[in-house]
Amino acid sequence: MDDEHYMRLAIEEAKAAARRGEVPVGAVLVNAEGDVIARSGNAPISIFDPTAHAEILALRDGAYQTKNYRLSGMSLFVTLEPCTMCAGAISNARVARVVYGASDPKGGAVDNGIQFFDQPTCHHRPKVAGGVLASESSQILKAFFRERRRK
């Protein structure tokens, strides 16, 4: 399987989040063998948890599934560039690779903003690939917020 395959799964999670009224961001955690370990969409509104970003939920579930808080060798696919909170969690979990879709100039912390993984205080730096199915990921977000502004 290639990066686009897993990003399409993350996009499915983002669309499901949008149907629940959540900001449409999806994440999929994949082990080194290519097995999907966890998948989630944003849920801070529905579960009353400001930390319930798609990445955090996928990392939590992945740690639970593997019975290990270290997710070494795994790849995290997410439809939007991770924020600072999520980048910190990704680093703490020792995720090997982060693949994201749409860039987030305002809230992103990987290639934008504070560039968390480039900081000297960052304990673990995953490999990063941005822009995978960026247009599709971005369109889902734009459509969601356009609809919200109409209401």
Side-chain angles (χ1 to χ4, degrees), residues 35-136:
D35 302 317
V36 174
I37 301 302
R39 51 192 295 172
S40 189
N42 268 359
I45 298 167
S46 57
I47 66 172
F48 311 106
D49 180 354
T51 69
H53 290 194
E55 301 95 310
I56 300 291
L57 296 175
L59 293 174
R60 285 179 186 159
D61 191 32
Y64 180 79
Q65 295 300 326
T66 61
K67 298 185 178 10
N68 193 341
Y69 72 106
R70 297 285 192 222
L71 301 171
S72 303
M74 298 210 188
S75 296
L76 182 67
F77 294 81
V78 60
T79 58
L80 182 65
E81 178 183 353
C83 70
T84 305
M85 175 183 69
C86 292
I90 290 163
S91 179
N92 284 323
R94 304 301 195 261
V95 170
R97 188 165 174 254
V98 175
V99 180
Y100 71 85
S103 181
D104 187 357
K106 183 176 178 184
V110 175
D111 289 323
N112 289 290
I114 67 160
Q115 300 175 353
F116 187 87
F117 301 132
D118 294 336
Q119 298 305 310
T121 55
C122 180
H123 297 292
H124 170 76
R125 294 166 179 82
K127 293 180 182 172
V128 175
V132 176
L133 298 181
S135 180
E136 193 169 338

Side-chain angles (χ1 to χ4, degrees), residues 142-151:
K142 288 177 183 175
F144 176 82
F145 286 112
R146 186 171 41 249
E147 182 62 27
R148 266 228 168 130
R149 283 189 296 276
R150 281 190 204 141
K151 292 181 179 180

